[in-house]
Amino acid sequence: MAASLEQSTVDALDHEPIDWKYKGLPSSWWGQTPAQVCRRRPSLFDDGAVSPVATLRTQPLVHNMVTMARWCRRRGVQLAPHGKTHMAPQLLARQLGAGAVAVTAATISQVRVFRAFGVRRIILANELVDVTGLRWLAAELDANPDFELTCWVDSVRGVQLMTAALTGRRRPLDVCVEVGQPGGRTGCRDAATVDAVARAVVDSDRLRLVGVAGYEAATGHEVSDAAVTAVAGYLQTLRDAVIRLRPMFETDEIMATAGGSTYFDLVADILTGWPDGMSVRTVVRSGCYLTHDDGLYARTTPLGRTSDIHSGGHFQPALSVWAQVLSRPEPDLAIVGMGRRDVSFDQDLPMPYGRPDSRVEKLNDQHAYLRLAPADQSLQVGDWLEFGVSHPCTVFDKWQLIPVLDADHRVVELVRTFF
């Protein structure tokens, strides 16, 4: 069942006037709606974009969606992309249209955003222990029979808190036991705890045990042989839990879910091919595939670092930040008007396009220090530069309205984010 949403609510975003709130965009657009702007297919820079400005590219977006959908079909897994990557209902609508079965959220606030746009199937990849959040969720589920939400549990205490808060519900809340790993983040650390939490869920009249969940990249994104072996071992413990808990599940179709943006190939290798008589749907939750990047995921994504015969192609970067040179204070240094307020820096610093021997060596809040190659003396104050990013999640959250460009840098869509 597709995780449909209310397309009319998404379409309404095209009719909200643009104003000064949206940084980087031309002031000539103020008072116009995105629909009016895009009808003209204007050149972003000819219309007067100001530095810095983030952009998306339509062709890589489409390519990445098609590539991921094809890969999932061929590997026999379902996709519930992590919505925290972009928090953009317009992009989520594209992903659902390409075959995604749900959206993944990290917090109850993110769930509320997606519900505002009518998303009917959500995975909350955390244990929800906030009483106010649980009561809101209970009311939302009871008022909307077509709304489905599955969340994690990793402690008996969590099961108790959820059961106490979910009073008066007409249907139980679906949960997966989360399997963790030493040194990782959340999740049960051993089989005995997994089993105890599962038993507590079965004993609760407010919860329903539907699967097992995990996050295999909780300890890092290395792709060395040792790291891959460790991830495979962790996923095997998750598989073992699914098989061991088989008699306890309260559903005809068990959910086994893992898979961020680095190891989803291993998830498909290990969490498929179940014993006869077991009906299991394997759900991967990658979010960064949609825009890919020029840093972390360029190095680590399975559809780039391997020759997977099921890939149908490699991902392409679709998100970048443009900025102007503000100063050339030294022969090999350019100061660019883009900083930590505008671009990600938690994994790698931004990468300048077209200048392979130059590098950003430092960011301030609003400035980038671009160290130039010795032979590169062509850059002048006022020049525009485009930068690839590393880890798109922490770029999207800095921009409320992002132009989508075609191959000629013409604006064909404006994407709104809700962080």
Side-chain angles (χ1 to χ4, degrees), residues 294-295 319-323 336 338-340 342-353 355 358-364 367-371 385-391 395:
D294 288 286
L319 176 65
S320 60
V321 176
W322 297 75
V336 181
M338 168 196 70
R340 290 175 296 203
D342 313 301
V343 70
S344 56
F345 57 93
D346 55 319
Q347 296 293 342
D348 299 289
L349 295 178
M351 285 67 72
Y353 284 176
R355 298 178 182 274
S358 300
R359 72 185 191 283
V360 174
E361 60 182 17
K362 184 171 68 171
L363 293 177
N364 295 153
H367 298 88
Y369 294 69
L370 179 62
R371 190 63 63 180
L385 295 175
E386 183 181 12
F387 292 85
V389 305
S390 180
H391 193 202
V395 179

Side-chain angles (χ1 to χ4, degrees), residues 24-30 42-51 53 384:
L25 302 185
S27 59
S28 61
W29 294 359
W30 295 355
S43 166
L44 175 64
F45 298 99
D46 288 348
D47 258 25
V50 296
S51 174
V53 60
W384 280 94

Side-chain angles (χ1 to χ4, degrees), residues 5-16 33-35 89-90 93-94 117 413-414:
L5 77 173
E6 294 175 5
Q7 188 61 50
S8 60
T9 307
V10 176
D11 292 343
L13 296 173
D14 285 336
H15 303 285
E16 295 182 355
T33 66
Q90 291 150 293
R94 292 185 180 208
F117 288 88
E413 187 177 1
L414 288 160

Side-chain angles (χ1 to χ4, degrees), residues 134 153 155-167 169 171-175 196-210 248 250:
L134 283 163
V153 288
S155 65
V156 172
R157 171 64 173 163
V159 171
Q160 294 169 343
L161 289 171
M162 295 171 77
T163 300
L166 294 171
T167 56
R169 294 205 60 237
R171 57 180 169 131
L173 174 63
D174 289 346
V175 300
V197 172
R199 284 192 296 270
V201 172
V202 172
D203 290 342
S204 169
D205 62 353
R206 298 287 187 263
L207 306 178
R208 186 172 77 122
L209 184 63
V210 300
M248 302 175 68
E250 303 169 277

Side-chain angles (χ1 to χ4, degrees), residues 67 70-71 74-75 265 269 302-304 306-314:
T67 298
R70 182 187 299 121
W71 186 91
R74 292 177 176 175
R75 297 302 301 269
D265 56 337
D269 289 342
L303 302 193
T306 70
S307 56
D308 190 323
I309 61 172
H310 300 285
S311 69
H314 293 169

Side-chain angles (χ1 to χ4, degrees), residues 80-337:
H82 215 315
K84 72 174 175 61
T85 296
H86 52 65
M87 291 304 295
Q90 291 150 293
L91 296 181
L92 177 59
R94 292 185 180 208
Q95 292 172 297
L96 297 176
V101 300
V103 64
T104 299
T107 69
I108 193 66
S109 291
Q110 292 172 5
V111 171
R112 294 194 298 189
V113 169
F114 294 129
R115 281 301 295 157
F117 288 88
V119 179
R120 296 190 187 125
R121 183 184 278 186
I122 300 175
I123 293 173
L124 176 56
N126 264 314
E127 183 173 68
L128 180 58
V129 296
D130 180 276
V131 172
T132 303
L134 283 163
R135 289 176 178 166
W136 172 86
L137 179 59
E140 190 74 7
L141 286 163
D142 282 347
N144 299 277
D146 61 347
F147 172 39
E148 300 177 22
L149 183 136
T150 304
C151 69
W152 299 173
V153 288
D154 77 346
S155 65
V156 172
R157 171 64 173 163
V159 171
Q160 294 169 343
L161 289 171
M162 295 171 77
T163 300
L166 294 171
T167 56
R169 294 205 60 237
R170 292 191 293 270
R171 57 180 169 131
L173 174 63
D174 289 346
V175 300
C176 292
V177 176
E178 184 184 6
V179 176
Q181 53 188 311
R185 197 165 56 192
T186 53
C188 305
R189 294 301 202 255
D190 54 70
T193 306
V194 169
D195 296 356
V197 172
R199 284 192 296 270
V201 172
V202 172
D203 290 342
S204 169
D205 62 353
R206 298 287 187 263
L207 306 178
R208 186 172 77 122
L209 184 63
V210 300
V212 175
Y215 178 52
E216 71 289 346
T219 59
H221 297 269
E222 294 294 326
V223 291
S224 64
D225 290 345
V228 168
T229 298
V231 168
Y234 163 69
L235 291 170
Q236 185 62 50
T237 65
L238 199 154
R239 180 185 179 89
D240 293 343
V242 174
I243 295 172
R244 189 175 66 253
L245 297 178
R246 178 180 179 180
M248 302 175 68
F249 290 118
E250 303 169 277
T251 178
D252 294 332
E253 188 178 44
I254 303 162
M255 179 190 296
T257 176
S261 297
T262 298
Y263 305 109
F264 56 80
D265 56 337
L266 293 177
V267 173
D269 289 342
I270 296 171
L271 298 185
T272 55
W274 298 94
D276 291 344
M278 289 191 71
S279 177
V280 181
R281 61 188 182 100
T282 302
V283 180
V284 297
R285 307 191 304 272
S286 173
C288 294
Y289 79 90
L290 180 61
T291 61
H292 194 44
D293 70 10
D294 288 286
L296 174 64
Y297 294 113
R299 296 191 302 272
T300 65
T301 178
L303 302 193
R305 61 176 167 83
T306 70
S307 56
D308 190 323
I309 61 172
H310 300 285
S311 69
H314 293 169
F315 293 144
Q316 300 172 1
L319 176 65
S320 60
V321 176
W322 297 75
Q324 284 182 291
V325 176
L326 300 180
S327 178
R328 290 282 277 108
E330 300 169 13
D332 64 344
L333 180 64
I335 304 299
V336 181

